[in-house]
DNA sequence: CGATCTGTTGACTGTTATCAACTCCGGTGG
DNA sequence: CCACCGGAGTTGATAACAGTCAACAGATCG
């Protein structure tokens, strides 16, 4: 939960998944990286590329999109502290396109660094594996989402998941988060048409669950949203220290949500 | 591609993913295991359990089902040679139910054996990691399926994937495979209603793509099915030696598909 | 030989996609 | 400063795909 240094979100993420010591985190401070900025909808990796470095997301959001079609299905979303293409360490061939959702800041880290971690810090190495498994669990959960829930519930579930993951790295503590997605991005994620995405968001607003103006989302009624989405954060695999029962059950102060 | 011994399907699967030597496979022959038989729709693992062993599937099919609801969404299917709950090595808590689809034979292998592999055979250990990543890739592909394809294409894609995976472990070389699923199982996998699953299968039959009588599926027109499903096996990560261009392009002998 | 599960069919309903038009907004250039 | 433009959001009408309900046929099994 320390702040300040460039990779603090990654440190938070790792700490939420496994046991990492201060010595382990010191190694991260030496991590060689190139910082890169991307603008909205800009591609970072393309289908067919071969990866030799990993994309650690520092700010913003990234998405994996299906290769085929013009406005391809979004299969997963990364938040700060995530390593979007960790699997390229073992399967370097890229399937689909890695695209920025809104402006994003990324640290590119050579594969070599992560390979050396297995001797320098087995704990981090093992926690990175847990990160991969976490990605898998999210993917499985999204299968359930697309398969068995309607549009309203899908959108609600996505918002719940993103909020929880942001809180896990110390963002959005007050249920107010930066969401630079277009409604079409949301539609591509939830597998609905852009028109229906719009109507769905309106319904969430009508139920006084969320406010979404411009690029800022405010969750007015977290317990209500969780109930609607039947959201259970267990699958994320986070330890319950900071994002668990305490803050999860707390409703944001009603005074803070005066209508615009 | 050797035959006969109990774990030959696992050996085939591993060999299709990474480099394993004869010495590595010898270690598998010493693998401690308990053989267990399950009948159709019987649960092998239940939501909330803690796993201390892995389920290596020897014969039949297994499925992971969503916990909630009566006839829960199926999120993944295992074929012989798969280790259905490999992730419990690192995340022992079970999410969802592991259920047999049709009669199944399973070898239960203690976690300890796999942990010791990291010293006894780094090659197998590494290949097991590739197996996990393969599961992840399949899950992502299924997200695309549910998200962007209609019922007919979904079913076709599922049949293509299962066929390819079976062929990868030396089963179904003649595009004839044992499919002890009920139509409701298929529906739960493809996220459609049982009634619609029935109509979809009928359409596949009407197009002369498949025959499915009793518990045997015969693919009459593999190229046609692949085209309809827009199926590209690249995501499975199998090497192209045996199941690649050669047999994949081959159409089964037309003489073998006389109508019943 | 009845009980039950699976497969099949028809009629009706409902969620969501598609099409089209329009508004609103930020940026750009005259 | 204003006109223009393109992208994003919004709305209504219509159509398509799939869900639900209900009934029945066929298989399987005790």
């Amino acid at each position: 939960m320390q702040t300040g240094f460039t990779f603090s979100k990654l440190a938070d993420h790792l700490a939420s998944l496994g046991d990492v010591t201060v010595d382990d985190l010191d190694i991260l401070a030496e991590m060689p990286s190139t910082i890169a900025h991307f603008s909205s909808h800009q591609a970072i990796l393309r289908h067919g590329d071969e990866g030799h470095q990993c994309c650690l997301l520092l700010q913003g959001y990234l998405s994996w999109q299906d290769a085929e079609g013009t406005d391809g299905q979004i299969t997963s979303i990364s938040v700060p502290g995530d390593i979007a293409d960790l699997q390229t360490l073992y399967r370097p061939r890229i399937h689909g396109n890695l695209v920025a959702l809104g402006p994003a800041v990324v640290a590119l880290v050579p594969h070599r660094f992560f390979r050396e971690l297995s001797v320098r810090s087995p704990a981090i190495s093992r926690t990175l594996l847990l990160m991969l498994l976490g990605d898998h669990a999210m993917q499985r959960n999204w299968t359930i989402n697309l398969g068995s829930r309607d549009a309203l519930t899908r959108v609600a579930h996505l918002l719940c998941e993103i909020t929880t993951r942001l809180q896990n790295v110390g963002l959005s503590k007050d249920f107010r988060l930066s969401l630079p997605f277009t409604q079409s991005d949301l539609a591509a994620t939830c597998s609905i048409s852009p028109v229906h995405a719009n109507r769905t968001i309106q319904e969430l607003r009508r139920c006084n669950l969320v406010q979404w103006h411009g690029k800022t989302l405010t969750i007015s009624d977290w317990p209500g949203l969780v109930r609607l989405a039947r959201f259970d954060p267990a699958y994320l695999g986070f330890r319950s220290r900071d994002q668990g029962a305490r803050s999860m059950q707390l409703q944001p102060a009603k005074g803070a949500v005066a209508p615009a």
Side-chain angles (χ1 to χ4, degrees), chain A residues 76-240:
Chain A
S76 75
I77 288 181
S78 301
V79 303
D82 287 357
I83 300 174
D85 56 350
L86 193 52
Q87 82 281 0
T88 59
L89 266 177
Y90 310 100
R91 284 178 66 165
R93 180 74 62 188
I94 307 292
H95 294 269
N97 301 311
L98 182 63
V99 173
L101 288 183
V105 184
V106 163
L108 301 169
V109 183
H111 279 178
R112 189 176 38 75
F113 175 79
F114 291 106
R115 293 196 212 291
E116 290 167 356
L117 274 182
S118 60
V119 272
R120 295 185 65 190
S121 169
I124 291 192
S125 208
R126 188 193 155 80
T127 309
L128 287 174
L129 184 52
L130 290 176
M131 216 158 133
L132 267 178
L133 290 172
D135 290 345
H136 190 169
M138 285 188 261
Q139 199 74 52
R140 186 165 33 213
N141 187 74
W142 200 243
T143 301
I144 296 173
N145 239 326
L146 292 184
S148 60
R149 306 216 236 268
D150 64 9
L152 184 66
T153 323
R154 276 185 220 169
V155 173
H157 198 284
L158 178 64
L159 296 180
C160 286
E161 182 185 303
I162 288 179
T163 302
T164 304
R165 289 167 67 192
L166 287 178
Q167 290 182 341
N168 187 55
V169 292
L171 295 169
S172 172
K173 285 187 169 127
D174 56 352
F175 291 97
R176 185 165 306 207
L177 43 128
S178 156
L179 257 203
F181 307 173
T182 64
Q183 293 187 353
S184 291
D185 292 332
L186 184 80
T189 309
C190 295
S191 295
I192 56 182
S193 68
V195 172
H196 201 60
N198 177 280
R199 294 185 168 125
T200 303
I201 294 165
Q202 286 179 50
E203 179 147 4
L204 287 176
R205 281 200 276 245
R206 197 175 329 118
C207 298
N208 284 318
L209 293 169
V210 308
Q211 292 174 272
W212 189 355
H213 295 121
K215 301 193 183 320
T216 302
L217 176 81
T218 305
I219 298 178
S220 326
D221 180 2
W222 174 251
L225 197 63
V226 165
R227 202 176 326 117
L228 173 64
R230 270 158 293 165
F231 176 70
D232 174 4
Y235 71 93
L236 291 169
F238 298 150
R239 295 153 155 206
S240 45

